[in-house]
Amino acid sequence: MALSYADAIAYLYPRLTQIKFGLETTRALLADLGDPHLVVPVVHVGGTNGKGSVTTLVAGALRASGWRTGTYTSPHLVSFRERIAVDGMPIGEAAVAMWTGRLRPAADRLGATFFETTTAIAFADLAARGAEIAVVEVGLGGRLDSTNVVRPLASVVTKIEMDHQKYLGDTLEAIAREKAWIAKPGAPFVVGERRPELVEVLRREAGDAVRALAPESGADVRVVPPDAEYEGPLALLGGHQRRNAAVALAVLEALPPPWRPTGAAICAGFAAATLPGRLERRGKWLFDVAHNPDGVAALARAVGELDLPRPVHALVSILGDKAWPEMLVQLDRVVDRGILTVTPSAEGRRWDLEWLRRWLKDPNRPPAHAAWQLVPEFDEALRRVQDGAGTVVATGSFHTVGDVMAAVGLSPF
């Protein structure tokens, strides 16, 4: 019996808790489908923060050039379908059901994870819908991430920050080493990282990655100047997006003909490109998926720069493995009131509520600018945070933004 969309999601989602590094399973799933990842030319986007923005900007410029452009991103906010799109149109429910049913026997036999299976679905759908080029975002790390089966036209590491230390290492250098291994022979490797010591790690590891596949080759490393910021029109809000746009511009300029867009196409694409959940204003809501200290620092700077109706309230839910004390201190500087809660989709990875209770009462914590409350029940937190607010910032994770959007009836499409 053919699967429904609901059946497919019910099959895929329980595999979300599995994380398995390595490319063998993904390659086997793709081989079962005829290797669709080798059909569509790819731009491969890695890094700690800025991946989604750079992916969106690169894809926007390619679309403005007339190319039928696919994207594969993660995670989603509200619907699984957001992850896979062609010219901005998400994968259809029928296609998700069909590809899941097609892959299920192989996925069961191989013990494939959610991301391995989803990556195979993505490449199959992009090829089936006639994408002429695709911009593919790394899921986690780089070296052993499922997307690293591609042979890209160009690859990029946006920047390096502390995140996912459990899997990538507990130093910036260790994280950089993992991310650099998306470099491939014959493809420019663009580096958006600014710190010289990390640039050198990325340069060295990229060379090792290329030589592992082609011993006589060297990496074509292209470092974006540390002071480079895009000065043209941008739809994306926030000063940090100027840097992301400069990195995206370097990627586009590194593409070989005929893929390299004209300056006019780049300008048009950047001026039109938007990304749900990244400093996205919807009425009195401001959504941002910042989920590590660097991301929250960028959000805090933007809140300080934007002319937002006051008072500014924040609804915050952060996953338990993140550096939330530092994140909360940064948010406190720019909001007037904060509600800490647990969003429904993050229940299994929620932060330590008892620690939060102690932290809020701790007389030795940094003096607070905002009035903070812990309201674990999500619906009650959602109601309270809106009371008297001029602006409500929803942040802390993709889960937070997605659950709030769903609860207030907003779609990311």
Side-chain angles (χ1 to χ4, degrees), residues 334-369:
V334 294
V335 303
D336 303 302
R337 182 185 179 202
I339 301 289
L340 310 178
T341 191
V342 177
T343 51
S345 66
E347 179 64 38
R349 298 175 61 192
R350 72 183 192 174
W351 46 0
D352 187 332
L353 298 183
E354 285 306 313
W355 190 97
L356 284 172
R357 289 188 181 97
R358 293 195 301 272
W359 184 77
L360 288 172
K361 295 176 182 178
D362 185 355
N364 295 317
R365 74 180 173 96
H369 165 264

Side-chain angles (χ1 to χ4, degrees), residues 124-192:
D125 181 70
L126 296 176
R129 285 202 275 165
E132 296 172 301
I133 188 168
V135 190
V136 174
E137 185 183 326
V138 172
L140 195 160
R143 181 171 62 96
L144 299 175
D145 183 76
S146 291
T147 64
N148 207 25
V149 295
V150 300
R151 290 296 183 94
L153 297 169
S155 56
V156 56
V157 170
T158 56
K159 68 184 304 190
I160 304 297
E161 297 294 343
M162 297 298 287
D163 207 357
H164 301 296
Q165 293 96 306
K166 178 179 177 181
Y167 305 105
L168 304 179
D170 57 7
T171 67
L172 292 171
E173 290 77 11
I175 294 169
R177 284 194 291 271
E178 289 293 322
K179 293 185 183 294
W181 277 68
I182 64 172
K184 297 292 190 303
F189 177 65
V190 177
V191 173

Side-chain angles (χ1 to χ4, degrees), residues 77-94:
L77 294 174
V78 178
S79 169
F80 173 89
R81 296 171 53 220
E82 300 163 40
R83 294 169 177 258
I84 306 160
V86 175
D87 280 353
M89 293 296 295
I91 185 173
E93 291 187 356

Side-chain angles (χ1 to χ4, degrees), residues 38-351:
L38 302 180
V39 174
V40 183
V42 164
V43 177
H44 203 191
V45 182
T48 307
N49 291 333
K51 292 194 301 290
S53 297
V54 170
T55 295
T56 295
L57 291 164
V58 170
L62 291 169
R63 285 179 65 185
S65 298
W67 297 109
R68 185 167 172 80
T69 305
T71 52
Y72 176 40
T73 59
S74 62
H76 63 266
L77 294 174
V78 178
S79 169
F80 173 89
R81 296 171 53 220
E82 300 163 40
R83 294 169 177 258
I84 306 160
V86 175
D87 280 353
M89 293 296 295
I91 185 173
E93 291 187 356
V96 175
M98 185 271 289
W99 290 119
T100 303
R102 172 69 177 77
L103 281 167
R104 185 171 184 170
D108 286 341
R109 183 180 73 254
L110 296 164
T113 65
F114 171 90
F115 197 69
E116 288 169 333
T117 309
T118 299
T119 298
I121 291 171
F123 285 119
D125 181 70
L126 296 176
R129 285 202 275 165
E132 296 172 301
I133 188 168
V135 190
V136 174
E137 185 183 326
V138 172
L140 195 160
R143 181 171 62 96
L144 299 175
D145 183 76
S146 291
T147 64
N148 207 25
V149 295
V150 300
R151 290 296 183 94
L153 297 169
S155 56
V156 56
V157 170
T158 56
K159 68 184 304 190
I160 304 297
E161 297 294 343
M162 297 298 287
D163 207 357
H164 301 296
Q165 293 96 306
K166 178 179 177 181
Y167 305 105
L168 304 179
D170 57 7
T171 67
L172 292 171
E173 290 77 11
I175 294 169
R177 284 194 291 271
E178 289 293 322
K179 293 185 183 294
W181 277 68
I182 64 172
K184 297 292 190 303
F189 177 65
V190 177
V191 173
E193 174 58 48
R194 288 169 150 148
R195 287 160 287 192
E197 66 276 16
L198 296 179
V199 170
E200 287 311 305
V201 173
L202 290 165
R203 188 191 300 275
R204 182 181 68 245
E205 293 293 324
D208 290 346
V210 167
R211 284 187 292 274
L213 295 172
E216 303 303 316
S217 297
D220 179 5
V221 179
R222 310 203 185 174
V223 180
V224 183
D227 58 349
E229 294 193 345
Y230 182 73
E231 297 181 355
L234 276 181
L236 295 174
L237 295 177
H240 61 289
Q241 296 293 4
R242 295 279 164 195
R243 177 62 180 180
N244 286 332
V247 175
L249 176 63
V251 174
L252 291 161
E253 291 178 340
L255 292 177
W259 309 108
R260 189 183 307 142
T262 63
I266 292 170
C267 185
F270 285 13
T274 60
L275 183 59
R278 275 67 162 191
L279 280 178
E280 181 187 16
R281 294 182 71 171
R282 301 262 199 118
K284 71 177 178 181
W285 290 96
L286 179 66
F287 295 104
D288 196 87
V289 298
H291 56 278
N292 55 38
D294 180 68
V296 170
L299 168 60
R301 285 194 300 272
V303 170
E305 294 164 0
L306 294 171
D307 184 21
L308 298 174
R310 309 296 296 203
V312 175
H313 294 180
L315 183 65
V316 185
S317 179
I318 302 173
L319 299 182
D321 60 349
K322 304 298 182 181
W324 25 274
E326 181 180 350
M327 296 162 70
L328 292 176
V329 168
Q330 293 187 78
L331 275 176
D332 178 73
R333 299 181 184 129
V334 294
V335 303
D336 303 302
R337 182 185 179 202
I339 301 289
L340 310 178
T341 191
V342 177
T343 51
S345 66
E347 179 64 38
R349 298 175 61 192
R350 72 183 192 174
W351 46 0

